[in-house]
Amino acid sequence: MNTNGKKKIAILGSTGSIGTQALQVIEEHPDLYEAYVLTAHNKVELLAEQARRFQPEAVVIANEEKYEALRDALADLPVKVYAGTDALCQIVQEKPVDVVLTAMVGFAGLRPTISAIRAGKAIALANKETLVVAGELVNRLAHEYHADIIPVDSEHSAIFQCLAGEVSPIEKIILTASGGPFRTFSMEQLATVTKAQALHHPNWSMGAKITIDSASMMNKGFEVIEAKWLFGVAPEQIQVVVHPQSIVHSAVQFADGAVKAQLGMPDMRVPIQYAFSYPIRLKSSFDRLDLCKTAALTFEEPDTRRFRNLELAYEALHAGGNMPCIVNAANEVVNRAFLEDRIGFLQMSEVIAKTMREAAFIPQPTYEDYVQTDAEARRIAASCVGGTK
Ligand code: NDP
Ligand code: MG
């Protein structure tokens, strides 16, 4: 905590879905939190607007070509303006920063997250790709530099909340999945679904990449990997259960058979706020869950035949080493290709599986190995996508 008693928060990706909701949380508690750093990749106008409203110490635009536009837009304000990835990595280490919310998307989040960990900052982790790619390394560094990692992902926040006050080990994690917009679709239907259909998630409004990942269930596969690293459980201890209503955000089963679940409306501001306020809870004006007005809560097993990505993620988790990094890189390529109408829905898993077979396996990767693996897997996946045009 700093001079004015407010927690100073650096939001990596303040213009995105998580980032803008985090700013709403800060707005709800202006006496407790301060947006100290705001960052974006390309959206100069929105970032400048946010800077005007929240008066942060500094803003960073990752795309260096946008630096001048941002600097000009903020010329009349005493806000420091920086550009580039190096600046992102430096700014999170600034002394006054208490919490770094990692709300960037994809592999790009890894370096700044590691940088923040090395400075011992508390990490409110939304960027799940960081743990998918390099969970072992990130955990080791977090331990070494005494950096707390608090999950923001709704399922992992739910598990984290279920574990509060518990001292006994987890028997099983029950990770809920909405099943996405194509939960009931046949293979024939899946073969022809469009990006517009995929972008229409039934329960959550999120950024485009994670919305596609939710439709393909790669998001759930990544969350299995994320759960392993956050909670130290074996893959066999994580059960994915499809729960279309997204009211039970996840659950934990203990040695005596007792199951604790966390329920609520699907609203990311709740886990974001909890990550900021942990271990206490703050009041909020967000919608309340009324169980009497809630339709039946239903649960079913996922179908890994139609949603092969889930199986590929488990395979990667079992293989260990750089395999999850390979899957993540291939997924970033096919996700974008699907968004650009260059690949069909079912082909996404095919390309990922092929990349897993072809990229070099490294059992104990270093940070540099991850960077190389990411580049190699992207190359392989991109060439496959080219072939399936
Ligand atoms: P969005 O696409 O909405 O936002 C991404 C943010 O990151 C934007 O501010 C964007 O800037 C910035 N950004 C993108 N690429 C880069 C880059 N290469 N370098 C620097 N900044 C970059 O994503 P979401 O908010 O949906 O997701 C963010 C993370 O949180 C993801 O890892 C996702 O998996 C995770 N998450 C999201 C949930 C949600 O409800 N949205 C739920 C659980 C987890 P710009 O706007 O300028 O492009
Ligand atoms: Mg989630």
Side-chain angles (χ1 to χ4, degrees):
M1 204 73 63
N2 283 280
T3 41
N4 61 9
K6 295 183 193 178
K7 250 190 203 176
K8 293 187 167 44
I9 301 176
I11 305 182
L12 301 183
S14 63
T15 52
S17 159
I18 292 288
T20 48
Q21 293 180 86
L23 287 173
Q24 289 174 28
V25 169
I26 292 175
E27 251 174 347
E28 286 243 336
H29 304 284
D31 47 331
L32 296 176
Y33 304 124
E34 180 180 326
Y36 189 78
V37 176
L38 299 177
T39 83
H41 190 215
N42 284 311
K43 288 196 181 131
V44 168
E45 257 179 53
L46 181 53
L47 183 58
E49 209 177 282
Q50 291 178 339
R52 229 160 253 291
R53 180 127 161 221
F54 289 90
Q55 305 275 328
E57 179 73 14
V59 293
V60 184
I61 188 89
N63 181 350
E64 294 184 29
E65 288 174 17
K66 309 267 174 165
Y67 170 73
E68 278 174 19
L70 183 61
R71 190 200 52 196
D72 293 351
L74 295 173
D76 59 320
L77 291 186
V79 180
K80 293 180 196 135
V81 180
Y82 304 104
T85 312
D86 288 348
L88 272 186
C89 293
Q90 279 164 21
I91 202 94
V92 294
Q93 296 199 329
E94 281 209 355
K95 207 156 181 266
V97 172
D98 296 300
V99 179
V100 177
L101 171 66
T102 65
M104 298 164 59
V105 72
F107 182 87
L110 178 61
R111 224 185 113 207
T113 305
I114 287 181
S115 183
I117 290 173
R118 283 186 188 279
K121 304 299 183 190
I123 309 292
L125 186 123
N127 179 248
K128 66 188 83 183
E129 293 92 340
T130 287
L131 283 183
V132 170
V133 166
E136 202 265 335
L137 173 70
V138 167
N139 269 358
R140 188 156 26 91
L141 291 173
H143 189 252
E144 189 179 334
Y145 291 94
H146 308 288
D148 292 331
I149 299 182
I150 318 278
V152 168
D153 212 348
S154 59
E155 295 78 0
H156 304 75
S157 175
I159 295 160
F160 190 67
Q161 292 177 54
C162 292
L163 291 175
E166 296 288 345
V167 291
S168 305
I170 296 169
E171 186 172 83
K172 189 170 89 175
I173 282 176
I174 300 161
L175 193 69
T176 52
S178 72
F182 306 140
R183 182 175 59 88
T184 58
F185 280 37
S186 67
M187 281 302 258
E188 292 67 33
Q189 286 173 301
L190 287 177
T192 58
V193 291
T194 63
K195 72 173 177 207
Q197 287 172 288
L199 284 171
H200 193 74
H201 194 281
N203 306 337
W204 299 95
S205 162
M206 310 179 283
K209 195 246 174 192
I210 186 176
T211 306
I212 299 301
D213 284 350
S214 299
S216 71
M217 289 206 71
M218 186 49 96
N219 181 52
K220 210 45 60 178
F222 283 173
E223 290 184 357
V224 169
I225 301 175
E226 187 185 8
K228 178 207 151 92
W229 294 116
L230 282 171
F231 306 112
V233 291
E236 300 72 37
Q237 288 174 285
I238 307 169
Q239 181 190 13
V240 172
V241 174
V242 175
H243 165 51
Q245 299 81 19
S246 296
I247 295 294
V248 177
H249 296 313
S250 275
V252 180
Q253 181 176 304
F254 295 94
D256 55 357
V259 176
K260 276 165 83 175
Q262 188 258 331
L263 283 69
M265 300 299 283
D267 184 339
M268 283 309 295
R269 292 173 302 178
V270 177
I272 294 169
Q273 176 168 302
Y274 189 69
F276 290 168
S277 71
Y278 172 79
I280 62 163
R281 289 182 187 276
L282 298 174
K283 281 194 173 171
S284 85
S285 60
F286 314 146
D287 282 354
R288 296 322 197 228
L289 173 65
D290 182 343
L291 280 174
C292 296
K293 291 197 181 117
T294 307
L297 301 180
T298 60
F299 303 90
E300 62 200 46
E301 276 185 27
D303 180 351
T304 50
R305 192 184 62 89
R306 285 180 301 130
F307 296 98
R308 192 179 164 201
N309 281 349
L310 195 51
E311 206 163 74
L312 295 177
Y314 269 103
E315 254 179 55
L317 191 50
H318 280 290
N322 64 339
M323 195 55 92
C325 176
I326 294 170
V327 171
N328 178 71
N331 183 60
E332 288 194 29
V333 171
V334 295
N335 182 303
R336 170 165 293 214
F338 181 72
L339 278 170
E340 292 170 357
D341 297 318
R342 289 187 286 117
I343 188 174
F345 187 81
L346 292 174
Q347 284 163 326
M348 289 199 281
S349 308
E350 286 170 26
V351 173
I352 295 166
K354 191 157 187 282
T355 310
M356 289 170 77
R357 287 195 299 275
E358 290 184 11
F361 180 67
I362 304 172
Q364 282 173 327
T366 60
Y367 173 77
E368 289 71 29
D369 290 330
Y370 286 126
V371 174
Q372 270 183 24
T373 297
D374 179 69
E376 186 199 5
R378 278 173 199 271
R379 262 196 313 276
I380 297 171
S383 70
C384 300
V385 170
T388 58
K389 248 185 202 175

